[in-house]
Amino acid sequence: MSARPEKKRVAILISGRGSNMVSLIEAARAPDYPAEIVLVLSNRPDAAGLVRAREAGIPARAIDHKAFPDRAAFDAALQAELDAAGIELIVLAGFMRILTDAFVEAWAGRMINIHPSLLPLFKGTHTHERALDAGMRLHGCTVHYVVPELDAGPIVAQAAVPVLPGDDADTLSARVIVQEHRLYPAALALVAGGDAVLEGGRVRFTARARDAGAAILSL
Ligand SMILES: Nc1nc2c(c(=O)[nH]1)N[C@@H](CN(C=O)c1ccc(C(=O)N[C@@H](CCC(=O)O)C(=O)O)cc1)CN2
Ligand SMILES: NCC(=O)N[C@@H]1O[C@H](COP(=O)([O-])[O-])[C@@H](O)[C@H]1O
């Protein structure tokens, strides 16, 4: 019987409450999950997710971006923590800082993000309000590899939700976040397990991932 491949050592980067982080931590408890969450970092010392990570037994530290003269210095401090922990994959989960090109390129193919829209629609912020303003009947969330251009990286997986009559940004975001908590653990498993690989600017899925219908999760 072949030995199970080593779990990828993952750092989750947050800025806020960390609900996606909690979903990932819980998913990674499965013995056959291909990743282990070994570190949580936040650019905001007041992030509630730091407390939730520590409660889950995960080392969690704040690196306050305001304490650095520029983005490059902040990113270098991130890199030092990631190196010290032997991190192999970075998972951005509500991490609200734009990373420098140098940092992103150093982690090419090893850093993913979840965005609360069906990219390439509604890059940037305030996605739910913008989807409502645009009269969308479908909305959702996207897990993508991170590239220097904001929210433009190759897509790993998406989940869609209906926009219902009477929805406002709060009701819509509440529907989307439920799908985020399903999508992100599934997408990280694909990436950590080598079933969704960034190659030549596109995501190549293995036969196993294709058979699992991994790229799209239904309503
Ligand atoms: N180079 C990249 N960096 C980041 C990416 C990316 O795709 N390329 N994804 C983001 C996550 N994100 C949306 O998914 C996002 C994060 C932050 C911002 C933003 O405008 N940040 C402001 C500060 C906002 C704040 O502190 O509240 C900024 O950095 O000046 C937009 C989109 C993570 N990084
Ligand atoms: N542009 C990035 C972005 O907007 N990310 C979004 O921030 C929220 C974080 O919630 P969480 O801290 O509860 O996971 C999530 O909805 C995530 O999609």
Side-chain angles (χ1 to χ4, degrees):
M1 183 173 171
S2 61
R4 186 179 287 148
E6 286 295 307
K7 290 173 177 269
K8 290 288 188 191
R9 292 176 61 83
V10 167
I12 300 177
L13 273 51
I14 64 170
S15 297
R17 64 186 175 179
S19 74
N20 273 290
M21 173 201 71
V22 169
S23 298
L24 292 163
I25 289 171
E26 287 169 4
R29 294 191 195 285
D32 60 349
Y33 196 77
E36 57 176 330
I37 313 302
V38 299
L39 179 64
V40 171
L41 297 175
S42 172
N43 66 299
R44 296 180 57 100
D46 62 347
L50 288 170
V51 174
R52 298 172 87 174
R54 293 171 188 138
E55 286 169 350
I58 310 286
R61 283 189 281 284
I63 303 176
D64 187 347
H65 67 273
K66 295 179 183 148
F68 295 87
D70 55 38
R71 288 182 193 274
F74 170 66
D75 288 5
L78 283 179
Q79 186 62 50
E81 289 283 347
L82 296 165
D83 286 344
I87 299 304
E88 297 172 285
L89 275 177
I90 297 174
V91 172
L92 306 182
F95 182 71
M96 297 306 287
R97 295 301 293 176
I98 297 171
L99 294 158
T100 60
D101 291 6
F103 184 91
V104 172
E105 284 155 5
W107 287 92
R110 299 187 296 150
M111 179 160 55
I112 57 176
N113 178 51
I114 193 161
H115 181 77
S117 78
L118 293 175
L119 290 173
L121 293 174
F122 312 119
K123 298 177 180 177
T125 56
H126 303 96
T127 60
H128 308 305
E129 293 87 340
R130 292 159 60 199
L132 290 165
D133 290 346
M136 297 298 291
R137 303 272 47 93
L138 275 181
H139 188 42
C141 50
T142 302
V143 176
H144 63 94
Y145 278 100
V146 176
V147 297
E149 182 188 349
L150 196 59
D151 304 332
I155 292 171
V156 175
Q158 295 185 298
V161 300
V163 180
L164 300 176
D167 266 336
D168 59 19
D170 290 339
T171 58
L172 188 53
S173 66
R175 195 171 306 121
V176 171
I177 198 77
V178 170
Q179 294 304 317
E180 292 187 40
H181 296 164
R182 289 175 60 218
L183 187 72
Y184 220 172
L188 175 56
L190 288 173
V191 171
D195 287 312
V197 180
L198 184 61
E199 269 178 10
R202 300 176 67 91
V203 180
R204 177 180 61 79
F205 293 98
T206 62
R208 178 171 55 181
R210 286 195 298 273
D211 294 347
I216 303 280
L217 279 76
S218 61
L219 295 183

